[in-house]
Amino acid sequence: MRYLTAGESHGKQLTTIIEGLPARMPLTIDDINQSLLRRQKGHGRGKRMQIEKDLAEVTSGVRHGYTLGSPVTLVIHNDDFKHWKDIMGEASLEEDKKIRRTVSRPRPGHADLNGALKYGHRDMRNVLERSSARETAARVAAGAVAKTLLKQLGIEISGYVKEIAGIVAEDSPSLTMKERQDMSESSPVRTLDKQVEQPMMDAIDKAKKDGDSIGGVVEVCVEGMPAGVGSYVHYDRKLDSRIAGSVVSINAFKGVEFGLGFEAARRNGSQVHDEIAWSEEKGYYRKTNRLGGFEGGMTTGMPIVVKGVMKPIPTLYKPLQSVDIDSKEAFNASIERSDSCAVPAASVVMEHVVAFEIAKAVLEQFPFDQFPNLAEAINDYREEIRCF
Ligand code: EPS
């Protein structure tokens, strides 16, 4: 299974095409729209989210509530496009820079300058329109379909905020999947720790007041994966490495940790590895989950626990020094609107990006054209490894 997205931030629409889904899988538009609306929320979002109401339209691959096995196309219209019709239209436009809203001043930390150098764009709007995190809406749409597939196979996933601007949420290993999903949903900053909710919101409000932005850490937890998905035999079949790559591909994400993560470097091996046990009911399991659900590029059957770190959004009200590419003069970069903190929304994005990688790995290991056959094969495999 694979997907492509297309669309500019202020263009007409975002498009997602998913190819390789099995046929006969139940899929409703509500499954997708719920995810899209979740991504729009969160304390710290800017004015753009008041303009958009992200709702997907399915234009291919689904009929009467089931997938057909053909590519699934999802379209999300940009409501803001009505303000940008001429600027973003495909028709040629006068050379008037004001009308075109030409951008010649690269923002530090953004793709603007590197993208301009690479593609030769003198107008950096041609770069920023596609490099914008608006594209994450299209990725969430793809992930929502993956999540629907996984859920029907007994695999559930949840994303939530662990840290904002150095304020750290307590670990909550005893919470059930449902509790994680419900608690993050009811929190304005999508954290599971009520104690840090207000301090996190205060930090966001302060950043906004100061014209600055703040980043954080998000965590995704996946339960219900059988052991042995992924592979140790080759670098590009290791599922943890694929997840790591996809997480760092999310706009503004800079790093990934599984389980203990970097803390493993500071501990002895006996305090890092998870002891193996067996019971008639569960089969093999680990007494702890310090490695976050992976050994040798494969799932262990324990929950997958993966963190991603997001840098503060580089579009700042507070000016940073940069250089105009036309005049070559130094100037102070400043902007019209931005999100002061998109970490809560990013937890939804990461949840969906991880879901897609996991669903893709499941389909690689159980390559069935029909969803009922896939569901049966996974259940058979679960029983096989329980009795191993
Ligand atoms: C973004 C800048 C802002 C954000 C946008 C990402 O958009 P605008 O330039 O229109 O104000 O709101 O995020 C989204 C539109 C979204 O859907 O998440 C950027 O520069 O990356």
Side-chain angles (χ1 to χ4, degrees), residues 9-10 14 39-40 45-49 52 54 80 84 107 110 128 131-137 251 313-315 337-339 345:
S9 179
H10 304 99
L14 298 166
R39 192 199 69 97
Q40 288 202 276
R45 291 290 249 163
K47 293 218 170 72
R48 176 76 186 270
M49 284 306 100
E52 302 298 340
D54 292 342
D80 205 13
W84 295 77
R107 296 160 298 172
H110 250 278
L128 70 89
S131 64
S132 160
R134 177 76 188 138
E135 195 253 356
T136 61
N251 307 52
I313 285 178
T315 309
R337 68 179 184 200
S338 177
D339 304 319

Side-chain angles (χ1 to χ4, degrees), residues 77-354:
H77 294 276
N78 287 326
D79 289 337
D80 205 13
F81 178 63
K82 55 180 175 289
H83 307 121
W84 295 77
K85 260 194 185 122
D86 291 336
I87 304 157
M88 291 305 295
E90 78 288 353
S92 57
L93 197 64
E94 284 174 50
E95 278 304 315
D96 185 327
K97 286 191 178 171
K98 267 217 179 96
I99 300 177
R100 285 168 174 254
R101 303 251 331 235
T102 296
V103 177
S104 62
R105 300 179 151 195
R107 296 160 298 172
H110 250 278
D112 304 350
L113 182 57
N114 304 326
L117 296 172
K118 176 177 169 64
Y119 291 103
H121 291 310
R122 299 298 313 174
D123 176 2
M124 286 181 290
R125 176 160 302 288
N126 295 339
V127 178
L128 70 89
E129 283 291 339
R130 178 63 184 163
S131 64
S132 160
R134 177 76 188 138
E135 195 253 356
T136 61
R139 296 189 74 180
V140 166
V145 175
K147 273 188 68 176
T148 306
L149 179 142
L150 293 173
K151 190 169 182 180
Q152 295 175 78
L153 300 175
I155 302 162
E156 292 257 16
I157 184 159
S158 167
Y160 38 88
V161 170
K162 284 294 292 179
E163 184 174 333
I164 288 180
I167 300 161
V168 184
E170 279 284 324
D171 277 336
S172 32
S174 59
L175 291 178
T176 63
M177 177 55 71
K178 175 96 178 59
E179 283 168 340
R180 279 166 208 270
Q181 289 168 341
D182 292 348
M183 285 168 79
S184 63
E185 214 47 47
S186 62
S187 164
V189 278
R190 292 198 169 277
T191 181
L192 307 182
D193 180 357
K194 278 259 163 236
Q195 299 288 327
V196 295
E197 205 168 271
Q198 192 58 50
M200 282 178 175
M201 287 197 284
D202 292 345
I204 294 169
D205 293 342
K206 182 172 184 313
K208 192 171 178 189
K209 208 164 131 249
D210 295 347
D212 222 324
S213 60
I214 47 179
V217 176
V218 301
E219 184 171 280
V220 170
C221 177
V222 186
E223 283 179 13
M225 275 295 271
V229 179
S231 180
Y232 59 92
V233 303
H234 212 65
Y235 71 93
D236 58 356
R237 293 182 58 193
K238 296 186 185 206
L239 180 52
D240 48 0
S241 91
R242 286 188 184 178
I243 290 174
S246 71
V247 168
V248 178
S249 79
I250 303 168
N251 307 52
F253 274 62
K254 293 283 127 191
V256 185
E257 288 186 329
F258 290 91
L260 285 179
F262 282 28
E263 169 64 17
R266 296 168 211 125
R267 294 193 185 187
N268 291 344
S270 58
Q271 296 306 305
V272 169
H273 298 287
D274 302 303
E275 289 182 314
I276 298 173
W278 184 87
S279 80
E280 176 111 35
E281 187 207 344
K282 294 199 266 188
Y284 300 97
Y285 65 94
R286 305 295 186 279
K287 291 184 184 169
T288 51
N289 189 25
R290 297 185 283 220
L291 290 179
F294 281 103
E295 286 169 355
M298 295 164 295
T299 50
T300 60
M302 298 296 285
I304 295 172
V305 183
V306 51
K307 287 197 192 77
V309 55
M310 186 192 199
K311 71 178 179 180
I313 285 178
T315 309
L316 299 177
Y317 290 91
K318 193 177 199 155
L320 282 183
Q321 280 253 306
S322 182
V323 175
D324 189 298
I325 64 165
D326 289 339
S327 68
K328 308 290 187 285
E329 277 167 15
F331 75 99
N332 285 330
S334 64
I335 49 102
E336 295 155 41
R337 68 179 184 200
S338 177
D339 304 319
S340 45
C341 178
V343 177
S347 71
V348 179
V349 177
M350 181 167 151
E351 173 186 311
H352 288 78
V353 162
V354 171

